[in-house]
Amino acid sequence: DVKVTQSSRYLVKRTGEKVFLECVQDMDHENMFWYRQDPGLGLRLIYFSYDVKMKEKGDIPEGYSVSREKKERFSLILESASTNQTSMYLCASSSRGRWGNTIYFGEGSWLTVV
Amino acid sequence: SQQGEEDPQALSIQEGENATMNCSYKTSINNLQWYRQNSGRGLVHLILIRSNEREKHSGRLRVTLDTSKKSSSLLITASRAADTASYFCAPLGFGNEKLTFGTGTRLTIIP
């Protein structure tokens, strides 16, 4: 069974804290993604990684960075958390294919910044 | 990368009825995918239709694709309470690995 695991389901952090959201996939997928989801705004892509140590900005990268040191792990970093980063964060992965492949999502991490 | 636009934004139907939701997109696609999201959970892939296909079935799901109109529809037949969820379409362009999503259609099945 395919699995994308996000390390924390619920987090509460203080403004200005450095926050790490971890994601691991067990499918040997090349591509990994971080999205955030807010009411009325849908899912927005923050960062995308297509290989180890490779990354590409998505639609809303400001205030975030990412790390992909190993193929199975993709971390989202909030260098200095702010209240407008309170959101649900979704990690996902997919394999590379000519026709574009299914994306598999984790269960999400609810982050509240106070 | 482009995102699909789902319509309607919300839909409520009686259990047992059919539910239809639509998706429009702007530029040529490689494929189009539909996903479901239960409240507070991650998205789950439902079906992928390629640009050279016009219709695809999976259980109670039927997806159509009209590339001339740049639109797709998802039909859920004989709806059940468990179908209550948000549904998203995601068009994927050629040479692009990134799926983007809109705001979805929120489907409520009334028992």
Side-chain angles (χ1 to χ4, degrees):
Chain A
D1 226 13
V2 296
K3 198 127 187 189
V4 178
T5 303
Q6 295 184 227
S7 58
S8 303
R9 189 89 169 98
Y10 300 98
L11 305 97
V12 179
K13 297 291 181 181
R14 294 195 182 279
T15 301
E17 271 193 77
K18 191 169 186 174
V19 181
F20 293 86
L21 299 179
E22 308 283 350
C23 175
V24 177
Q25 50 98 358
D26 64 0
M27 296 163 282
D28 202 36
H29 283 167
E30 295 88 357
N31 301 327
M32 294 189 76
F33 310 81
W34 275 106
Y35 295 86
R36 67 177 277 180
Q37 186 175 25
D38 301 285
L41 295 176
L43 276 84
R44 293 179 290 168
L45 181 64
I46 305 171
Y47 265 100
F48 161 58
S49 170
Y50 50 92
D51 205 344
V52 175
K53 296 192 190 296
M54 306 304 286
K55 61 187 178 185
E56 198 174 300
K57 291 179 181 178
D59 298 318
I60 51 161
E62 297 79 19
Y64 304 94
S65 62
V66 290
S67 171
R68 188 142 180 228
E69 297 296 318
K70 293 186 178 182
K71 191 175 186 182
E72 67 270 18
R73 188 179 295 269
F74 192 35
S75 302
L76 180 70
I77 303 153
L78 288 65
E79 294 289 342
S80 177
S82 64
T83 54
N84 64 12
Q85 292 178 308
T86 291
S87 186
M88 173 152 153
Y89 291 87
L90 288 161
C91 175
S93 72
S94 70
S95 64
R96 196 162 300 145
R98 178 173 171 266
W99 284 99
N101 285 319
T102 299
I103 287 189
Y104 295 89
F105 282 83
E107 285 294 284
S109 297
W110 290 90
L111 172 66
T112 302
V113 182
V114 297
Chain B
S1 53
Q2 65 171 318
Q3 69 181 47
E5 210 167 294
E6 296 90 355
D7 176 65
Q9 288 191 339
L11 178 63
S12 291
I13 61 171
Q14 296 288 334
E15 193 167 18
E17 292 181 343
N18 296 342
T20 300
M21 50 207 93
N22 304 295
C23 169
S24 60
Y25 57 91
K26 291 188 168 53
T27 61
S28 296
I29 59 168
N30 179 334
N31 69 59
L32 186 141
Q33 302 181 32
W34 284 91
Y35 288 77
R36 184 188 75 227
Q37 184 181 33
N38 289 80
S39 182
R41 312 299 293 268
L43 280 72
V44 174
H45 178 257
L46 292 176
I47 199 163
L48 180 156
I49 186 165
R50 296 176 180 175
S51 59
N52 62 354
E53 297 174 314
R54 290 296 163 258
E55 191 170 308
K56 204 159 180 183
H57 295 253
S58 176
R60 294 184 294 111
L61 305 181
R62 186 182 83 133
V63 167
T64 60
L65 179 64
D66 186 336
T67 52
S68 67
K69 293 181 179 176
K70 292 186 172 58
S71 67
S72 174
S73 67
L74 171 67
L75 168 68
I76 303 174
T77 60
S79 62
R80 304 168 182 169
D83 295 328
T84 293
S86 290
Y87 292 81
F88 296 84
C89 71
L92 185 69
F94 289 94
N96 187 356
E97 299 287 330
K98 293 181 289 184
L99 277 179
T100 55
F101 298 84
T103 54
T105 291
R106 193 170 61 255
L107 175 65
T108 303
I109 308 298
I110 304 163

